[in-house]
Amino acid sequence: MANLGEKLKQRRESLNLTQRQLAHELDVMITMVQNWEPGRHIPKLYPAQRKILCDLLNLTLEELAEWHI
């Protein structure tokens, strides 16, 4: 089973989003995204950022919660 970072990367790539685009939309540094995907850090997002992430990745908040973000 894929971990959180792997799921994030798979979904981002399937939607042809770059790490830079994701970081920009979430208003975080690209290094944060680069650390999330291999599992070095777990995303700590504000509610507004979670909503943006869901919109970008075509997820519901419930689906994102299942990823343990």
Side-chain angles (χ1 to χ4, degrees), residues 42-64:
I42 296 172
K44 292 183 176 127
L45 302 173
Y46 293 108
Q49 290 171 307
R50 289 180 187 190
K51 176 69 172 110
I52 291 167
L53 185 61
C54 286
D55 291 345
L56 288 171
L57 300 182
N58 298 323
L59 295 170
T60 65
L61 286 170
E62 292 79 17
E63 290 170 322
L64 187 64

Side-chain angles (χ1 to χ4, degrees), residues 1 10 25 34 41 54 63:
M1 183 174 189
Q10 289 169 356
E25 293 295 327
Q34 291 169 337
H41 297 286
C54 286
E63 290 170 322

